[in-house]
Amino acid sequence: MDSSSDYSDCEDLISASEDDYSSSESESDDDTLNSARNWCPIDIHASTPAPPNFQFTSTPGINPSTKILLGNTDDPMMFFSIFFDEKIMSFILEETNRYAEDFFNKSDLTPSSRALNWKNTDIKELNLFLGLLLLQGMVSKSVEAWYWSKRPILSTPFFGQIMSEKRYGLLMKFLHFENSDKFDKKTHPNPKLRKIFDIHEMLVQKFKSAYTPNQSVAIDESLVAFKGLLGWKQYIPTKRARFGLKFFQLCESESGYIWNSIIYTGKGTIFMEEYEHYGLSTKCVLTLIHELKNNGYLLTTDNFYTSPEVAEILLKYKTDVIGTVRGNRKGLPAEFKTLKLKKGEIKAFQKGKIMVLQWRDKKTLTMLSTIHNAELVSVESRKSTTKQKPKVVVDYNRSMGGVDKSDQCLSYYPSTRSRQRKYYKKIFRHLLDQAVWNAFVLYKKNGGDLKHVAFRMKLIERLCEEGRGLPSSKVPKSIENVARLTGRHFPSLVTSTGNKKYSARKCAVCCSKTNGNGKRVRRETRFECEVCNVGLCAAPCFQIYHTQSVF
């Protein structure tokens, strides 16, 4: 049989009903594997249409209940409170105070022990504590104690104004997220994660309920740096951290919103029971995307997760998939193991809605897709030269970056610290960063105009306001401008609005002064600091505002 007749058979398969190509069993099922190897070669010169996408039936965006809660607010605290709401804050508060009480009941302390200064915390103090954790991600210091140092070259007075070093140390010591008295190793879903399990489950549920992702989603792993003693610590040489705690994450491709995650703990990792008979990568994918099935989503994965088995199962649930795939995966055409392509050459096969392709660029790349054919498109390179690439490769590169985007943005201002010895506190700080990132994504989708760094600064200010119990109009200067004395600040022109040629704002420094009659000075300027969101004269007010605590 020649290649054209082979491909005509494949056309029949493409037009077949979904049930014909969507059934699947485990990779260990020999019948399925033999069937999966019956691939039809594709004539890459023939203009055959690509298989259609499944119809997308979800309604993406901020969910109605969350939308009602937010209204038209642009307050970062409101977006953060979607995830760290009263329920979660009360849970942390209760378990922290309980753990401290148990500690004193079981420990024989000396009279000079610092722990004897402990007193139960409350919601206001917990807000201050979270604010300082987030601020540590923006004001980087190698040693945590340096934040309270009074040496001129290290001094950051704001930390001491909010909370003493001793009190902060006690809160960090007794910070806890589970009731140890109720722990039962036989009944707990994952004993390895018992110290962080509840808070992780609560936050992930809130991530899901607050937002419905767009059609394109991606699954990848994220590594949180950790070098302490832990049996399920991972080593991934391709990650920057290399050693750490691995998260399997499903993110929206466009925004990087973290919608679902699984903490990998080796054999004890929790997956949905109905998928336990599959291999690790397959049950990981099916667990993460479980609530999005049958809605026409397009999933992008890398070669750890992608396989013919996963593709066939997802097709059964009306979910398309694009991904790189290892050339020796079970179920792929046998020719892929022996093919030796020249640069620019393509070899492709089709089975039903599933297309697999090998393309030689600098090295051989193997792709799998349920919505592509072997079409080539022209792509402009960085050197302004045009290059032919398979369309599936171009679309993969465009949609795979969801997890990488969230990881990249979280790496700019991480509240996690390299010397955090307790794994569960390390995970909590990472979950806190994830909640702030998701809150920022919702803020932008709700029409907010602050950048990520300005959003975090404003959130820290609001946490300190809540902790001090102060209304916004009566916030001390030291709290109102938490980070104006640190970081990178540059003057920019005030954005014009309406039909005006330019806009102006009141100068924060000039307008803080009074004239000889005791009246406030009113002076406008065309310049502002976008990070601090205030108008400032280019000179000397911009320098004064960012170098003097009082003006």
Side-chain angles (χ1 to χ4, degrees):
M1 182 181 292
D2 59 19
S3 60
S4 60
S5 62
D6 286 342
Y7 190 62
S8 65
D9 292 340
C10 290
E11 288 182 303
D12 294 336
L13 285 169
I14 294 173
S15 61
S17 65
E18 294 171 8
D19 293 337
D20 291 337
Y21 53 71
S22 62
S23 60
S24 174
E25 300 294 338
S26 171
E27 283 190 354
S28 61
D29 191 322
D30 293 337
D31 293 337
T32 300
L33 294 179
N34 291 332
S35 175
R37 293 190 179 96
N38 295 329
W39 296 92
C40 300
I42 296 176
D43 182 0
I44 62 173
H45 302 293
S47 56
T48 304
N53 293 58
F54 288 111
Q55 183 180 359
F56 185 55
T57 56
S58 285
T59 304
I62 302 175
N63 292 337
S65 58
T66 306
K67 195 79 173 178
I68 293 173
L69 178 65
L70 291 172
N72 295 320
T73 183
D74 61 352
D75 181 7
M77 186 67 182
M78 290 295 294
F79 290 88
F80 179 71
S81 297
I82 295 172
F83 309 117
F84 273 76
D85 59 2
E86 184 178 353
K87 179 181 178 181
I88 284 188
M89 295 291 281
S90 298
F91 173 78
I92 298 172
L93 180 70
E94 180 182 353
E95 296 306 331
T96 298
N97 288 333
R98 188 203 313 277
Y99 179 69
E101 183 179 351
D102 291 344
F103 175 83
F104 289 115
N105 291 336
K106 298 175 182 178
S107 301
D108 186 13
L109 302 176
T110 62
S112 60
S113 175
R114 180 180 291 188
L116 293 175
N117 296 321
W118 168 262
K119 61 178 181 180
N120 283 353
T121 186
D122 55 25
I123 293 292
K124 289 184 177 180
E125 189 176 45
L126 195 55
N127 278 319
L128 293 176
F129 181 73
L130 294 181
L132 293 186
L133 291 182
L134 294 175
L135 187 55
Q136 287 180 15
M138 306 192 71
V139 184
S140 179
K141 295 189 180 184
S142 302
V143 180
E144 198 167 35
W146 287 359
Y147 289 104
W148 286 268
S149 174
K150 295 183 180 180
R151 294 182 63 178
I153 60 174
L154 295 173
S155 177
T156 312
F158 181 77
F159 282 84
Q161 295 171 9
I162 295 298
M163 186 179 296
S164 70
E165 180 186 0
K166 289 184 178 180
R167 183 58 183 171
Y168 173 86
L170 287 173
L171 285 172
M172 182 59 70
K173 176 181 177 64
F174 294 119
L175 186 65
H176 215 65
F177 315 104
E178 60 110 16
N179 186 350
S180 301
D181 294 336
K182 293 184 178 180
F183 171 69
D184 186 348
K185 189 174 182 179
K186 295 181 180 179
T187 59
H188 196 281
N190 190 343
K192 294 180 181 179
L193 279 180
R194 66 184 182 92
K195 290 183 177 293
I196 196 67
F197 180 83
D198 291 333
I199 196 76
H200 175 254
E201 290 293 303
M202 293 166 72
L203 279 173
V204 167
Q205 189 57 45
K206 291 186 180 299
F207 292 166
K208 294 178 184 178
S209 62
Y211 181 75
T212 301
N214 292 330
Q215 184 175 15
S216 182
V217 294
I219 289 178
D220 201 357
E221 63 265 7
S222 174
L223 195 70
V224 180
F226 184 77
K227 290 188 176 181
L229 296 176
L230 198 64
W232 36 277
K233 178 177 62 180
Q234 295 291 294
Y235 171 69
I236 304 179
T238 56
K239 297 290 185 181
R240 184 177 179 182
R242 295 193 300 144
F243 293 93
L245 312 172
K246 184 163 72 174
F247 285 67
F248 296 120
Q249 292 182 172
L250 184 147
C251 297
E252 185 182 61
S253 295
E254 178 188 5
S255 66
Y257 183 90
I258 303 168
W259 194 81
N260 197 1
S261 69
I262 299 170
I263 303 175
Y264 179 70
T265 58
K267 292 183 178 180
T269 306
I270 300 175
F271 299 104
M272 297 198 69
E273 188 175 350
E274 61 187 282
Y275 306 127
E276 280 295 337
H277 60 286
Y278 293 114
L280 173 63
S281 60
T282 301
K283 61 186 178 184
C284 178
V285 169
L286 297 177
T287 299
L288 286 172
I289 205 169
H290 179 76
E291 291 90 340
L292 301 180
K293 294 186 308 184
N294 297 309
N295 288 305
Y297 275 91
L298 173 59
L299 175 66
T300 309
T301 57
D302 67 12
N303 60 19
F304 175 76
Y305 307 94
T306 315
S307 68
E309 177 188 52
V310 165
E312 291 179 358
I313 298 171
L314 290 177
L315 287 174
K316 179 180 178 181
Y317 297 115
K318 297 182 180 180
T319 303
D320 286 306
V321 61
I322 307 174
T324 55
V325 61
R326 296 171 184 172
N328 60 353
R329 275 279 194 181
K330 291 181 180 180
L332 289 179
E335 290 90 330
F336 278 179
K337 297 180 180 179
T338 57
L339 272 180
K340 293 185 179 179
L341 303 173
K342 295 180 181 180
K343 187 170 183 179
E345 286 187 339
I346 292 177
K347 185 69 174 178
F349 294 83
Q350 190 89 26
K351 179 178 182 288
K353 202 170 185 288
I354 304 173
M355 186 275 300
V356 291
L357 170 151
Q358 272 197 354
W359 172 58
R360 178 74 181 184
D361 190 30
K362 292 182 180 178
K363 59 181 181 179
T364 301
L365 178 66
T366 308
M367 301 292 302
L368 181 149
S369 174
T370 61
I371 61 169
H372 288 88
N373 54 17
E375 177 187 0
L376 293 173
V377 294
S378 297
V379 178
E380 188 174 339
S381 68
R382 294 180 182 177
K383 298 181 180 179
S384 299
T385 59
T386 302
K387 183 177 182 180
Q388 292 285 311
K389 288 186 177 181
K391 190 174 187 300
V392 62
V393 175
V394 176
D395 290 344
Y396 171 83
N397 290 335
R398 185 184 298 116
S399 60
M400 186 56 199
V403 177
D404 291 336
K405 181 175 183 178
S406 63
D407 280 353
Q408 181 181 5
C409 292
L410 290 181
S411 70
Y412 296 149
Y413 318 106
S415 65
T416 56
R417 298 194 61 81
S418 59
R419 298 188 181 185
Q420 190 84 57
R421 295 181 179 179
K422 302 291 186 181
Y423 81 89
Y424 62 93
K425 294 179 183 178
K426 186 95 169 188
I427 293 177
F428 172 74
R429 295 176 84 142
H430 183 66
L431 292 174
L432 175 63
D433 284 336
Q434 287 187 344
V436 174
W437 168 250
N438 280 353
F440 172 69
V441 173
L442 297 186
Y443 167 82
K444 295 296 287 186
K445 289 184 177 290
N446 202 47
D449 56 0
L450 291 178
K451 296 181 180 179
H452 184 207
V453 60
F455 177 87
R456 293 180 75 97
M457 286 184 180
K458 187 64 178 176
L459 174 59
I460 294 168
E461 294 170 7
R462 292 287 289 112
L463 284 168
C464 292
E465 291 170 15
E466 294 290 330
R468 291 289 185 90
L470 298 170
S472 301
S473 60
K474 297 183 179 180
V475 180
K477 289 285 185 181
S478 59
I479 297 179
E480 184 181 0
N481 300 289
V482 175
R484 66 181 172 86
L485 304 181
T486 63
R488 296 166 63 86
H489 304 267
F490 301 97
S492 60
L493 287 171
V494 177
T495 305
S496 60
T497 56
N499 297 323
K500 296 181 179 179
K501 292 184 179 179
Y502 66 88
S503 295
R505 299 182 64 176
K506 293 180 181 179
C507 174
V509 175
C510 294
C511 294
S512 67
K513 301 174 183 178
T514 56
N515 57 25
N517 298 325
K519 295 183 178 180
R520 289 278 183 179
V521 173
R522 178 182 176 86
R523 183 169 296 168
E524 293 187 342
T525 175
R526 291 184 61 190
F527 296 91
E528 66 178 351
C529 176
E530 287 188 350
V531 174
C532 300
N533 194 27
V534 294
L536 294 166
C537 298
C541 298
F542 196 91
Q543 179 181 356
I544 293 173
Y545 185 82
H546 294 105
T547 56
Q548 298 181 19
S549 58
V550 179
F551 45 81

